[in-house]
Amino acid sequence: MNLARSSETGAGHALVLGAGISGLCAARALSEVYDRVTLVERDTLTGDGTVRRGAPQGAHVHSLTVRGANVLEEFFPGFADELAADGATLVTALSEVDIVFFGSLLHKVPLGTVLQAGRPFLEERLRAKVCAAPNITLLDGREATAPLTTPDRTRVTGARLARSGTFEAIDADLVVDAMGRAGRGATWLAALGYDKPTEQRQRVDVAYASRRYRLPPGALGPNKALLVGATPARPRGLVLTQQEDNLWVLSLYGFGRQDHPPTAPDEFLLFAQELATVDAWEALRNADPVTGVASFAYPHSVRRHFHRLRRLPDGLISIGDAICSLNPIYGAGMTVAALEAAALRDCLADGTRDLPRRFYRSAAKSVQLSWLFATLADRSMPQVPGTRPALAALLAKSFRATMRAAATDPKVAAAVWNAVSLTGSPADLARPHIIAATLRNWPREKPEG
């Protein structure tokens, strides 16, 4: 297949490798500037709501934060309402959500709408929206194996694809690596004679186990979600959310191998009983499971500093988890993908000249605070490899005091939620009122859990 590379009216042809959340959002941004956008996906897309091989995390809890939903609304006005009409759950945080962080239940103050839906449900409907654009084409069942370049390797001109033992080349003016945290684009840079971006890795050794249930109506009262976070003394957590079609998904997680959740159904429920509130446990005991228990391991978070590279070829950018992959317990992955796509859209508004460098600088700003918040939270857990005990103890005390304040002070609760959901800046937790409230709640005794 050989697609023309130029046009008299636009920027030509963009090739997006990967049709997950980040690739779909990127394709939408590119479609405003490029005459044609081709999405290439390794998986064969069945559209039947099953978890695809390239997104094994799809069986676990997913929520789209207020910030992420706002970006998708900019790209697709009315999208959240359409998803809700199709069965997704819209939740008012925090008034319809119980969040227990470091042993404290956050104050129930209304702070915005969260979209709760399974990953396959959301991805399939987002894909349909994106591919409805007349200049976007989707090719599935194909894997990108290598970039095409000019002889001097200063510009990437397309990609080589493999499909069922055959190969094809697609020419493009821009190639976007949205193939996930493995970082294919970074490897391609090295193969072309460029430096690979430096990496930050935060070892977390988190594992998930999840199962879907049908709960009795009103089993959790007015609540549509429960989140119980891990603590240093009990490095286990639980998330229970209502998703599409009134199904609920229970995801359990743990830091460190000895606290990874089991996958045997009876042991899975015993793990949940230790963490669940009384109402949630009663609901789960009487719930009907509709799936088996799925597991997923997440060894480390990773951030690649593309923005620090001095030399970059034209015509190639990486996006999404290829730039920054965060510990999924913080629920920021889809929102970060949307924010990076918004950064790409804003860069494209100023043209395509020097796009890789400009985009990487903008994307770095988009993920900086999310990375900082997530890594600080991880380092409050002494089970995280490489964490210094003194730092972990200090961070744990700080988080515990902040959450104690957030249990009674709506301003502190709002600041905590805005930091976690990326609706605001984690820097807001350093405001004078928040600091004063935290200090008033500073633990003076040895914490119990």
Side-chain angles (χ1 to χ4, degrees), residues 222-261:
N223 287 332
K224 297 177 181 177
L226 168 66
L227 192 160
V228 180
T231 69
R234 190 211 61 220
R236 301 178 175 189
L238 171 153
V239 186
L240 176 64
T241 66
Q242 182 181 349
Q243 300 200 319
E244 67 273 10
D245 302 324
N246 292 318
L247 291 178
W248 292 69
V249 59
L250 172 65
S251 286
L252 308 175
Y253 68 86
F255 286 88
R257 183 170 298 277
Q258 67 180 9
D259 287 289
H260 287 174

Side-chain angles (χ1 to χ4, degrees), residues 74-433:
E74 293 173 6
F75 284 137
F76 308 104
F79 185 55
D81 288 339
E82 291 177 22
L83 288 177
D86 207 13
T89 299
L90 295 179
V91 181
T92 301
L94 298 167
S95 55
E96 293 182 309
V97 182
D98 274 354
I99 297 182
V100 182
F101 283 157
F102 279 80
S104 296
L105 174 65
L106 268 60
H107 189 75
K108 306 275 277 189
V109 55
L111 294 173
T113 302
V114 176
L115 176 70
Q116 295 180 174
R119 171 68 176 262
F121 177 94
L122 175 63
E123 197 174 271
E124 287 174 8
R125 282 149 184 82
L126 183 60
R127 187 180 304 121
K129 276 284 189 183
V130 170
C131 294
N135 61 336
I136 296 180
T137 301
L138 173 63
L139 305 176
D140 66 348
R142 296 163 172 84
E143 183 171 8
T145 60
L148 305 176
T149 70
T150 56
D152 61 5
R153 296 187 172 184
T154 60
R155 169 175 282 279
V156 171
T157 60
R160 184 176 172 85
L161 310 180
R163 182 188 187 190
S164 302
T166 64
F167 295 90
E168 58 186 330
I170 296 184
D171 292 338
D173 298 275
L174 177 69
V175 175
V176 179
D177 161 31
M179 293 181 285
R181 58 184 273 119
R184 198 79 58 86
T187 301
W188 286 357
L189 286 178
L192 296 176
Y194 294 84
D195 291 334
K196 292 180 68 174
T198 57
E199 290 186 354
Q200 282 180 271
R201 289 186 176 237
Q202 173 69 52
R203 182 81 182 175
V204 292
D205 192 19
V206 164
Y208 274 84
S210 297
R211 195 175 199 184
R212 288 178 177 264
Y213 294 87
R214 194 170 298 281
L215 269 61
L220 268 65
N223 287 332
K224 297 177 181 177
L226 168 66
L227 192 160
V228 180
T231 69
R234 190 211 61 220
R236 301 178 175 189
L238 171 153
V239 186
L240 176 64
T241 66
Q242 182 181 349
Q243 300 200 319
E244 67 273 10
D245 302 324
N246 292 318
L247 291 178
W248 292 69
V249 59
L250 172 65
S251 286
L252 308 175
Y253 68 86
F255 286 88
R257 183 170 298 277
Q258 67 180 9
D259 287 289
H260 287 174
T263 56
D266 290 344
E267 295 176 8
F268 177 80
L269 269 183
L270 287 175
F271 191 105
Q273 183 180 12
E274 174 194 342
L275 300 164
T277 61
V278 173
D279 288 346
W281 171 241
E282 285 300 313
L284 288 169
R285 283 201 315 129
N286 297 300
D288 295 322
V290 296
T291 67
V293 179
S295 61
F296 174 64
Y298 187 89
H300 58 264
S301 302
V302 61
R303 184 183 179 193
R304 296 186 176 91
H305 295 280
F306 286 92
H307 62 290
R308 295 179 180 172
L309 292 174
R310 294 184 178 182
R311 294 176 59 246
L312 288 164
D314 289 327
L316 175 66
I317 64 172
S318 293
I319 199 168
D321 281 355
I323 293 178
C324 183
S325 176
L326 297 166
N327 186 339
I329 71 171
Y330 306 115
M334 294 194 297
T335 295
V336 168
L339 291 174
E340 290 180 14
L344 177 60
R345 174 200 60 200
D346 293 344
C347 289
L348 288 168
D350 293 325
T352 59
R353 182 180 177 83
D354 197 27
L355 180 62
R357 191 175 309 281
R358 291 189 294 111
F359 167 69
Y360 287 137
R361 289 173 178 172
S362 182
K365 295 176 182 178
S366 298
V367 305
Q368 173 63 27
L369 291 177
S370 305
W371 174 263
L372 177 62
F373 180 85
T375 52
L376 283 176
D378 288 335
R379 287 172 181 167
S380 71
M381 307 297 294
Q383 295 79 10
V384 169
T387 297
R388 296 179 181 179
L391 175 61
L394 177 61
L395 288 171
K397 284 186 176 182
S398 177
F399 281 120
R400 181 179 294 275
T402 302
M403 301 314 160
R404 284 179 176 175
T408 57
D409 189 322
K411 291 184 179 179
V412 182
V416 169
W417 173 252
N418 289 339
V420 172
S421 67
L422 307 182
T423 307
S425 169
D428 289 343
L429 291 169
R431 291 183 180 275
H433 175 85

